[in-house]
Amino acid sequence: MKNSRHRKFLLLPCVFFIIVNFILLRILGQSKQFTIGEFSLPATSIQGCISALSSLFYILMVFIDYRLGSKVSFTLMTISFAHNLILMARTRSLQSIPGIVNMFISFVSILIIYFFYKRSTRNSITDFITGLGNRRLYTQMTTDMILSKKDFALVCVEIEDFKQINEEYGIHAGDFILKDIAAKLSNIIDKNELIFKLNGGMFALILSDKSDPEARLKGVIKSEIMAIPPEELTNIEKNCTVALNAGIAYTRTSANIRRSASTILRAAELALSEAQHSSEKRIFVYDEDLEKEEQEQKENEMLIKEALANNYFYLVYQPQFTAKDKELRGFETLIRCRKADGSVVSPAQFIPAAEKSNLIMKIDDYVLRHAMNEFRTILDASGKDITISINVSAKNIGSEKFAEKIQQMIEETHFPAKNLEIEITEYSISESMETTIENILKLKESGVQIALDDFGTGYTSIAQLMKLPVNLLKIDKSLIDDIESSQTMRDMVDSVIYMGHIMNCEVISEGVENEDQLNILKEHKCDFIQGFIWGKPMSFADAELLCQTHS
């Protein structure tokens, strides 16, 4: 706004000089020649110089502000042109012809500059692929609406894993999907509403807050399989799963998000982030609790970074035993955090925060490297075949070259691959199945064991699970808790154990806390037991002692 006023102010001197030039031309029109010393100068020569100077000011005004400057220039040139025609008619002289020609050339020049600026401005506020307004136009339009005190709903819509789609299917597919989604979103907006393409796979819609945006979005915000047409160089049509999520911010609900275009966009993005992390809802509406959650997320992320930098993290190990005769199978590795002041931070606080960011991958790497380094000495000293089980996040196991990273760690730490067990969840498989399975196969080839954690929580189908090269199934604690009192739970656990054995897997039950649970699991032929009944998480020193003394 300030820049706009400043540009308009700069037009005034130009207008002033043009008017002065116009007056000088009229004065010179009454003379034929001027004498300066020994030199004589025709009045027409001076008129030509003044006309050229006027043309310069006309063009300068267009450069200062192409919209207003062009209007002012065309207005003044029209007045000057009409004056010259009247003068020619009155004097029946063609003396004004050079000025008229000069003015015509100036008019054409200004017209060219005007259309160039208009096109450049349109390109600067338009997304090249979809033709929609971009983030710059979003900022302009939203600022105007906020200043005019209009209530509206801002909707942020984003294509899930759009970067991965571009990488896997190519930019051609990404552009096709963007255009398709842009068309679908454009179909749900009214003529007084706006749609923008912000960046990557993100769109923004300014909707009337009284038109129930949530209901209007439900038909579009979904997951669907989209057929990507073949490129010019190929004849292969590909199917791509495209999922959308949306966050909505109502300007009337909170004064805190009415300050600026960026503030309300941030609010809608917070709601969008909640939708992206939700397994149930794809559309979230902003409320002030999200601000608190975001602040807690930032604080936890800072804690994790500080813990990694200052060695606040440490590992504990929970033993696993054979159900039949209580032989030590190995240990599950668990991470803990103790700050410099001695206070302990619960994993329930920092692990969910890490999973919402890429910090979970750094935590995984820390646990993997430290556990292998610590237990290598135990394996070397005891000679026992002890398995170290380590949980790996969905982001890590689903990332490219994860298997290569594990193999490199094994080489660096000299840890036996056959004694390493990577725990993944069913959720990991459902997130990025192809990459995850590829990593699992590579790890299996190198001798690493694979365990499927939280089995029975229902993320994947039986058909998918049957294809996985898994060594061990872990029965989730939630299925064990009521096994003594509920026949349904006993039948459920029995089915899971039976299914595991059909898949040629061994089965371990975690969270076993009493003799009744233990006896039922033995009766149903569960292979291994993990829980407080036989061993709580312990320090490395205690785990080392257990390996030395246990038979």
Side-chain angles (χ1 to χ4, degrees):
M1 295 297 289
K2 289 182 179 179
N3 289 336
S4 178
R5 287 196 296 267
H6 182 64
R7 288 196 301 269
K8 290 175 182 177
F9 179 76
L10 289 176
L11 292 177
L12 295 177
C14 295
V15 174
F16 173 74
F17 282 116
I18 290 172
I19 293 172
V20 170
N21 289 348
F22 182 72
I23 294 171
L24 288 174
L25 286 173
R26 291 207 59 185
I27 294 172
L28 291 171
Q30 300 172 4
S31 304
K32 293 185 177 180
Q33 187 169 305
F34 289 90
T35 302
I36 304 174
E38 297 179 356
F39 299 95
S40 62
L41 190 64
T44 53
S45 298
I46 299 177
Q47 287 175 331
C49 292
I50 293 174
S51 295
L53 188 62
S54 296
S55 297
L56 177 63
F57 282 116
Y58 287 135
I59 293 172
L60 186 60
M61 281 196 292
V62 181
F63 277 113
I64 292 172
D65 188 328
Y66 88 94
R67 288 192 182 91
L68 183 59
S70 298
K71 291 179 182 178
V72 174
S73 294
F74 290 144
T75 302
L76 293 174
M77 289 174 72
T78 302
I79 294 171
S80 180
F81 182 75
H83 172 263
N84 284 334
L85 287 178
I86 293 170
L87 190 62
M88 284 176 60
R90 184 182 297 169
T91 61
R92 297 183 182 277
S93 169
L94 298 177
Q95 185 178 355
S96 301
I97 286 294
I100 291 174
V101 172
N102 182 63
M103 197 171 302
F104 176 76
I105 293 172
S106 299
F107 182 87
V108 173
S109 300
I110 291 171
L111 207 59
I112 292 171
I113 296 170
Y114 170 79
F115 281 112
F116 172 79
Y117 265 97
K118 185 177 181 180
R119 181 179 177 182
S120 298
T121 302
R122 184 174 64 248
N123 290 341
S124 71
I125 59 175
T126 305
D127 176 65
F128 174 73
I129 298 169
T130 62
L132 301 175
N134 61 13
R135 193 183 188 105
R136 184 176 180 182
L137 184 61
Y138 158 78
T139 302
Q140 293 175 7
M141 301 299 292
T142 308
T143 300
D144 290 343
M145 295 184 73
I146 291 173
L147 290 175
S148 60
K149 298 183 179 179
K150 292 181 180 178
D151 286 330
F152 59 91
L154 177 67
V155 181
C156 268
V157 176
E158 187 166 29
I159 301 171
E160 201 170 278
D161 297 324
F162 182 67
K163 183 180 178 183
Q164 185 176 338
I165 290 173
N166 266 333
E167 292 174 352
E168 186 173 345
Y169 295 92
I171 296 176
H172 166 79
D175 291 350
F176 173 81
I177 291 169
L178 285 174
K179 291 175 185 177
D180 185 87
I181 299 302
K184 289 175 181 176
L185 292 173
S186 297
N187 286 336
I188 68 169
I189 66 172
D190 295 331
K191 63 179 181 179
N192 295 324
E193 298 173 331
L194 301 168
I195 178 172
F196 309 91
K197 161 70 167 53
L198 298 186
N199 50 57
M202 183 181 290
F203 297 83
L205 291 78
I206 294 180
L207 306 179
S208 169
D209 64 341
K210 297 177 182 178
S211 61
D212 196 1
E214 293 175 70
R216 293 166 64 184
L217 287 165
K218 283 181 180 178
V220 182
I221 306 302
K222 59 185 179 181
S223 178
E224 62 178 319
I225 296 176
M226 192 177 293
I228 308 297
E231 299 180 50
E232 295 179 3
L233 301 177
T234 65
N235 294 316
I236 302 172
E237 189 172 280
K238 302 175 183 177
N239 290 329
C240 176
T241 301
V242 179
L244 298 180
N245 298 293
I248 304 175
Y250 292 93
T251 54
R252 57 180 160 78
T253 57
S254 173
N256 293 333
I257 60 172
R258 292 182 62 106
R259 299 177 196 164
S260 67
S262 59
T263 312
I264 187 172
L265 178 60
R266 176 175 168 274
E269 286 178 335
L270 280 176
L272 172 64
S273 179
E274 282 298 306
Q276 290 169 336
H277 289 106
S278 172
S279 58
E280 300 176 357
K281 294 177 63 177
R282 290 194 174 273
I283 303 173
F284 258 83
V285 179
Y286 168 86
D287 62 52
E288 293 183 355
D289 288 340
L290 294 180
E291 293 280 354
K292 297 175 184 176
E293 291 175 11
E294 187 196 31
Q295 184 60 35
E296 291 176 359
Q297 175 70 18
K298 288 180 179 178
E299 290 174 358
N300 285 323
E301 287 180 14
M302 287 297 296
L303 168 65
I304 294 167
K305 291 175 182 177
E306 186 180 355
L308 288 168
N310 298 289
N311 291 320
Y312 293 166
F313 286 130
Y314 64 97
L315 303 181
V316 294
Y317 302 92
Q318 186 169 26
Q320 300 170 337
F321 300 92
T322 57
K324 185 177 179 180
D325 46 20
K326 200 182 176 182
E327 288 187 3
L328 181 64
R329 173 187 185 264
F331 297 85
E332 179 181 5
T333 309
L334 305 170
I335 190 169
R336 299 288 185 263
C337 180
R338 183 183 292 111
K339 297 169 71 174
D341 59 6
S343 59
V344 176
V345 182
S346 169
Q349 178 179 338
F350 64 81
I351 291 296
E355 287 176 340
K356 286 186 177 181
S357 68
N358 287 329
L359 289 172
I360 191 63
M361 300 177 77
K362 292 186 177 181
I363 289 179
D364 285 350
D365 293 350
Y366 172 91
V367 175
L368 283 161
R369 192 175 297 277
H370 279 69
M372 284 192 274
N373 271 324
E374 286 187 340
F375 262 86
R376 185 197 63 204
T377 58
I378 292 181
L379 293 175
D380 292 343
S382 67
K384 292 183 178 179
D385 196 20
I386 295 171
T387 300
I388 303 304
S389 187
I390 301 173
N391 289 278
V392 171
S393 66
K395 283 188 176 180
N396 224 337
I397 191 68
S399 64
E400 291 185 3
K401 298 185 178 179
F402 171 75
E404 287 84 347
K405 179 171 66 175
I406 295 296
Q407 289 163 1
Q408 184 179 350
M409 286 185 183
I410 289 172
E411 291 174 6
E412 291 174 358
T413 59
H414 303 289
F415 191 88
K418 66 183 181 66
N419 296 103
L420 176 64
E421 183 175 77
I422 299 295
E423 284 192 26
I424 62 172
T425 62
E426 290 184 60
Y427 176 71
S428 303
I429 304 162
S430 63
E431 276 292 279
S432 47
M433 178 174 288
E434 291 183 8
T435 309
T436 299
I437 293 178
E438 184 180 342
N439 282 323
I440 290 174
L441 291 171
K442 288 180 180 178
L443 290 171
K444 286 282 289 183
E445 286 176 6
S446 63
V448 176
Q449 301 181 62
I450 305 295
L452 189 59
D453 196 9
D454 299 335
F455 185 71
T457 51
Y459 283 104
T460 49
S461 69
I462 300 301
Q464 289 170 334
L465 292 176
M466 293 293 287
K467 297 177 183 178
L468 294 176
V470 175
N471 302 95
L472 182 77
L473 295 184
K474 294 193 75 173
I475 301 178
D476 189 62
K477 182 179 183 300
S478 62
L479 300 179
I480 304 299
D481 287 340
D482 299 322
I483 197 173
E484 317 102 293
S485 58
S486 171
Q487 181 62 45
T488 302
M489 280 300 177
R490 284 198 293 275
D491 293 340
M492 179 74 72
V493 169
D494 183 57
S495 299
V496 170
I497 295 171
Y498 180 71
M499 188 186 307
H501 290 157
I502 288 178
M503 294 168 60
N504 294 319
C505 295
E506 295 179 304
V507 181
I508 183 170
S509 293
E510 59 182 356
V512 183
E513 298 181 350
N514 58 58
E515 290 290 339
D516 290 337
Q517 292 174 341
L518 177 62
N519 291 331
I520 292 171
L521 290 169
K522 284 182 177 181
E523 180 184 337
H524 291 291
K525 299 181 181 179
C526 184
D527 300 294
F528 303 109
I529 298 296
Q530 178 181 333
F532 284 9
I533 186 172
W534 281 349
K536 296 182 179 181
M538 60 185 65
S539 66
F540 173 71
D542 289 338
E544 186 176 26
L545 182 62
L546 179 62
C547 290
Q548 293 171 355
T549 59
H550 190 85
S551 61

